[in-house]
Amino acid sequence: MELRTGKLASSAVPILTPPQESEFRRCCTAIFRKWTALQLAIENEWGGPASKDKADTLLANILEWLLQKGAKERYEDDLEDALEDSMSDDFKIDLEDGSARDVAREVFRARNACASDNAAEIERIAGKPGAAAAAGNAAAGGSVRQRSDGKVVPKGIGVDDDSDDDDDDDDD
């Protein structure tokens, strides 16, 4: 099947063994911890005091959807849409940094790596087992910011659109 991006994607849903599923869960957890927009939403409570719970529920729902036994097809585009919808609904932000696409792509890479027992790719995505605990939840400060209108954009883009200065002062 051809995606919006023009790339082909396999619709076959790999069946993961219990150890592979465990590794996939670890990979997805690492991907979500590295997702700057989500971590900023949690840290700044853009979804209210329950922001961490909302993020955990998002991850659980994505895992359930991807690990559903007997599922016929799952596509990156569908995951990207679900991530964007959740960030908008749960955290009141519109992603304009392409991160939902990047996260969806990385999740599918992780699933394929786990299904094929590709230890090098699993380690690239999730790190060595136990490394995440040692490193802690390294979140934010990253490459995106939230504008005053609620949109998440890459840092440095539209820097002036967030200022409180009105250029109307030039009318001396």
Side-chain angles (χ1 to χ4, degrees):
M1 168 181 192
E2 190 170 326
L3 302 174
R4 289 187 303 233
T5 59
K7 294 183 180 181
L8 295 178
S10 169
S11 63
V13 177
I15 303 297
L16 301 179
T17 65
Q20 291 170 331
E21 185 176 315
S22 176
E23 284 295 284
F24 180 61
R25 288 177 183 281
R26 189 171 70 85
C27 286
C28 288
T29 299
I31 292 166
F32 274 54
R33 283 188 178 149
K34 294 175 191 174
W35 187 10
T36 304
L38 179 62
Q39 294 307 314
L40 286 171
I42 294 167
E43 180 181 317
N44 294 299
E45 294 186 342
W46 294 341
S51 292
K52 175 75 170 101
D53 294 336
K54 289 179 180 183
D56 291 344
T57 299
L58 173 60
L59 176 58
N61 290 341
I62 296 301
L63 285 167
E64 181 181 335
W65 180 69
L66 288 168
L67 294 170
Q68 183 179 13
K69 305 295 184 222
K72 294 186 181 182
E73 53 190 50
R74 297 289 188 244
Y75 298 103
E76 284 181 24
D77 286 359
D78 294 331
L79 178 56
E80 176 185 351
D81 290 343
L83 293 170
E84 287 176 345
D85 289 347
S86 179
M87 292 297 284
S88 178
D89 294 344
D90 295 337
F91 300 102
K92 309 297 184 239
I93 57 174
D94 296 322
L95 297 174
E96 293 186 348
D97 63 348
S99 64
R101 181 182 344 78
D102 296 339
V103 168
R105 185 175 300 125
E106 194 72 355
V107 166
F108 273 76
R109 283 184 188 142
R111 186 175 69 170
N112 291 335
C114 292
S116 62
D117 293 319
N118 184 339
E121 183 69 356
I122 292 168
E123 186 173 321
R124 182 195 66 78
I125 294 168
K128 293 182 180 181
N137 187 358
S143 60
V144 299
R145 66 182 182 84
Q146 184 180 29
R147 296 189 325 204
S148 59
D149 62 2
K151 294 187 179 190
V152 173
V153 295
K155 280 189 177 175
I157 303 282
V159 175
D160 295 330
D161 63 3
D162 216 15
S163 70
D164 292 333
D165 295 342
D166 289 332
D167 290 336
D168 299 340
D169 296 328
D170 297 330
D171 296 329
D172 291 56

